[in-house]
Each structure stands twice: as structure tokens, then as C-alpha cells.
Amino acid sequence: MVISVIGVGYLGAVHAAAMAELGHEVIGLDIDADRIAALQAGRAPFHEPGFEEILRRGLRSGRLRFTTDYAELEPAEVHFLGLGTPQRKDGFGADLSHLESALDSLREVLAARGGAPTLVVGKSTVPAGTARRLSDQVEQIEGVQLLWNPEFLREGFAVQDTLEPDRLVYGLREPEGSQAEAAIAMLDAVYAALLAAGVPRLVMGYETAELVKASANAFLATKISFINAIAEMCEAVGGDVADVARAIGMDDRIGAKFLRAGVGFGGGCLPKDIRAFIASAEEHGVGEALGFLREVDLINERRRARTVELAGEMLGGVEGRRITVLGAAFKPDSDDVRDS
Ligand SMILES: NC(=O)c1ccc[n+]([C@@H]2O[C@H](COP(=O)([O-])OP(=O)(O)OC[C@H]3O[C@@H](n4cnc5c(N)ncnc54)[C@H](O)[C@@H]3O)[C@@H](O)[C@H]2O)c1
């Protein structure tokens, strides 16, 4: 199939190269000309294990290329949206302006398809209600359907997670009916190799799909803040949080993952995603339901200050000391220093 990926950052660039790896013809687009030049030259603009390899293989095969020109996307039957959704400057909510401006630029390209079946597939993490609002605009163009297909990849494992995901989630305006079936069949064709390998595919409404992603990140953030809160308690009473985590992690209802006390979570996703989730709940009049996420955020913020305090305690003060931090990114095998 001919596919475009709009916004080739951490998510989009990996998605574009992975789709070429699956045998599709892929055009990646970004407004960042330097990024496009690097990708087109086979250079990864960020560190991600295995990415440069599939990028180069895609370029060599002739199935993968990059552009800054929306007009070149016209042949694509499926457009993936990999735009950033950062925290707004004036509050906790998500800034959707990148998505909106990309869709504005795409409108002409979609209209030029002359009614041929075309799928726009959102992969960005967005507040519930976003897909429906965007689809009201995009689906006015004949032949076009919008599907929301949230992404769960982990930086450091992005290539593997894109090619062998735990699950595929399809969010649709109406999950049933002939229109839905046509859209599902098109996305199934894109992911045919994954589906044949047994990756589960879950079909649901837009809002549910959006909430799956927000809930997954909220749960993971909560797990990290939970063990960090227990670390505060351990410090107060003289316990060892590593032993607590090891022992409770052996209960498979709890699980050992994301249960390592430390400096807290960072990166381009969890911090802004839980805040956007809080803001969205408040907008919908159910702020209390997600009030605990404020606490999760505060525990996380406290870890940063506590880390500096601990360093000070160990060094007899940090003033005037020269300190090396090994590993500035928010996690191993990534160079992502957003909120790290
Ligand atoms: N990074 C991850 O691990 C990850 C995992 C799952 C979901 N997500 C979600 O995916 C989305 C993208 O995240 P990311 O980390 O890849 O962000 P990113 O900032 O690395 O990439 C976004 C890209 O979009 C480009 N862009 C902005 N406006 C554009 C426009 N009008 N047209 C074309 N390109 C434009 C930017 O130049 C940038 O290269 C976010 O919603 C994020 O929450 C990210």
C-alpha cells in the first residue's frame, strides 16, 4: 500500500521505517527540514536501537522516502498522524495545534483524491473527544475516514514495539456498520503481517480508544509514583524500598515491572499525558475521579527535589561541588531529554 506518515519524530520516523519494513511504500513528512534531510540521508535524528538499520534498509529498497512537501502525499491511501501533543503553555491540557495545522495542510491532498477511499489514522496521544472533533472536519471530504490507532511503543524498544506490538487498538466513529468495516479492512491491510502473526486487534469507539491510551499511561505513572511514595515511607521508618518492591512484585497481581523507586518518571509522554488526562477529566466535570493523578504528579515532582537533597546529604552540601550525572535521558537506550 502507499502510506504517508505526517510528523516524523520519535513515533512517526520509527512508524514510517517499520511500515516500509512490512513492504509498504512510505512517504514520511515533517515541517522540520533538517530532520527530513537527516532521515533522507539515512541518519537517525535520535538514538533508538535498530532504527537506523530499518531506516537505511527502507531507503535502499526505494520504498521509503521523506519530504517537507504535502503535495507529494497525494498518492497515499493511508495517512498516519504522528504529530506531537505537548502540554499547553497556559495549563495542564494538551496542545493540539500541531495536529490541527497538519490536518489543515492535508485537506487539499485529501480533496485531490477525488472520492477514492482514503484513511487518516491518528497515532498521537490525544484527550477523549479529539478524534470525533477532527473527524467532523476531515470526513466532510468525500471518501475520507478517520480512525484513531493509539501508539504504545516504548522508547528504547520502539522498533520492536512497532513491529511486534502487544495489541492494536482501532478507534472509530461508529465501530459497527459497513463504513466501519471498510475502514477496518484498510487498516488491517496495512497491518496484515502483524495480524497474521497473531497480534490482537481491538475495535472500539473513538473515545474508548483515546481513553485506552490515557489510562495505560496513567496506570504506569501511578505504579511508579506508588513505589516512590513507599520509598518516602521507607525512609521515614527505616525500611528498604528495594526489598519491599522485590517482595510485592512477586505477587503476579502486582507484578515487578515499573516498581523501581528512583528519580521518578520523565520523557515526552507520561508527565504531559497524566496532566492532559487531569485537565480532560476536569473539562468533563469529573475532575474528582482523576484527582489522584495530581498526587501521582506531586510525588513525581518531589522525587526530583529529593534526589538533589540526597546528593547534598551524601556530599555534605551541593554548593560549589562538581557533580557528574551519568545518563541525562529519562531512560536507558534513548537520548530523549524532554522532561528528564
Ligand atoms: N515518543 C514516544 O515514545 C511515544 C509513544 C507513544 C505515543 N506517543 C505520542 O505520539 C505523538 C508524537 O510523539 P513524538 O515523541 O514522536 O513527538 P516528536 O516531537 O518527536 O515528533 C513530532 C514531529 O511532528 C512534527 N510536526 C509538527 N508540526 C507539524 C506539521 N504541521 N506537519 C508535519 N509535521 C509536523 C515535528 O517537527 C516533529 O518532528 C505524541 O502525541 C506522543 O504523546 C509518543
Side-chain angles (χ1 to χ4, degrees), residues 9-11 30-31 70 83 85 101 125 151 155 269 272 338:
Y10 285 88
L11 180 158
D30 208 288
I31 50 170
Y70 272 90
L83 291 310
T85 49
S101 88
T125 303
E151 179 57 60
E155 285 178 21
C269 289
K272 60 120 176 134
R338 288 179 290 188

Side-chain angles (χ1 to χ4, degrees), residues 5-331:
V5 180
I6 303 169
V8 282
Y10 285 88
L11 180 158
V14 173
H15 196 72
M19 292 303 105
E21 190 78 4
L22 295 180
H24 300 298
E25 192 180 314
V26 185
I27 318 160
L29 178 141
D30 208 288
I31 50 170
D32 181 338
D34 291 341
R35 171 161 293 230
I36 289 299
L39 288 165
Q40 189 59 45
R43 281 195 316 273
F46 46 79
H47 173 83
E48 185 60 49
F51 169 59
E52 212 162 66
E53 221 176 295
I54 62 166
L55 169 68
R56 290 185 178 167
R57 195 151 54 222
L59 291 167
R60 265 200 315 271
S61 72
R63 285 194 307 273
L64 177 63
R65 64 195 173 84
F66 295 91
T67 182
T68 53
D69 182 5
Y70 272 90
E72 287 186 34
L73 305 189
E74 259 180 45
E77 308 151 73
V78 179
H79 301 277
F80 284 101
L81 307 174
L83 291 310
T85 49
Q87 184 179 336
R88 289 169 63 109
K89 291 198 172 61
D90 61 355
F92 268 16
D95 174 358
L96 302 175
S97 61
H98 305 258
L99 261 175
E100 280 155 4
S101 88
L103 280 175
D104 275 346
S105 311
L106 191 60
R107 197 152 291 140
E108 241 176 79
V109 174
L110 295 173
R113 300 263 308 150
T118 308
L119 207 55
V120 177
V121 184
K123 294 208 69 69
S124 307
T125 303
V126 294
T130 306
R132 193 164 298 274
R133 187 168 56 76
L134 297 178
S135 85
D136 286 342
Q137 304 162 20
V138 174
E139 292 190 358
Q140 280 176 359
I141 306 169
E142 202 198 331
V144 179
Q145 282 200 76
L146 179 84
L147 203 150
W148 216 266
N149 171 221
E151 179 57 60
F152 302 97
L153 70 81
R154 298 161 297 168
E155 285 178 21
F157 299 93
V159 173
Q160 181 191 327
D161 287 351
T162 306
L163 289 169
E164 296 162 38
D166 296 330
R167 72 289 207 197
L168 290 164
V169 169
Y170 294 7
L172 290 116
R173 171 178 280 278
E174 297 288 345
E176 279 161 28
S178 59
Q179 268 218 316
E181 275 169 26
I184 293 167
M186 257 178 114
L187 195 55
D188 279 354
V190 174
Y191 292 136
L194 277 51
L195 295 168
V199 175
R201 178 260 262 155
L202 307 167
V203 176
M204 55 194 76
Y206 283 146
E207 291 76 10
T208 313
E210 291 162 326
L211 286 171
V212 166
K213 177 64 191 174
S215 312
N217 278 1
F219 191 86
L220 294 172
T222 302
K223 214 170 164 193
I224 297 173
S225 277
F226 173 82
I227 200 63
N228 281 329
I230 301 301
E232 289 186 33
M233 190 62 193
C234 282
E235 280 188 40
V237 304
D240 183 332
V241 71
D243 284 341
V244 173
R246 196 152 47 108
I248 66 172
M250 286 175 182
D251 181 333
D252 64 10
R253 291 169 306 174
I254 296 175
K257 289 185 178 160
F258 271 56
L259 216 52
R260 281 168 58 184
V263 72
F265 54 82
C269 289
L270 292 194
K272 60 120 176 134
D273 287 347
I274 61 164
R275 290 180 177 178
F277 205 15
I278 294 168
S280 173
E282 283 170 357
E283 261 170 47
H284 288 90
V286 287
E288 276 180 13
L290 298 190
F292 71 96
L293 286 180
R294 283 194 179 274
E295 208 54 54
V296 165
D297 194 22
L298 286 173
I299 294 166
N300 197 52
E301 293 282 303
R302 275 207 299 280
R303 295 315 288 175
R304 301 173 181 195
R306 182 64 190 136
T307 304
V308 176
E309 252 176 52
L310 272 174
E313 283 168 23
M314 295 168 95
L315 292 170
V318 290
E319 198 90 359
R321 308 301 291 259
R322 302 181 74 183
I323 296 169
T324 301
V325 178
L326 296 174
F330 79 106
K331 67 187 302 192

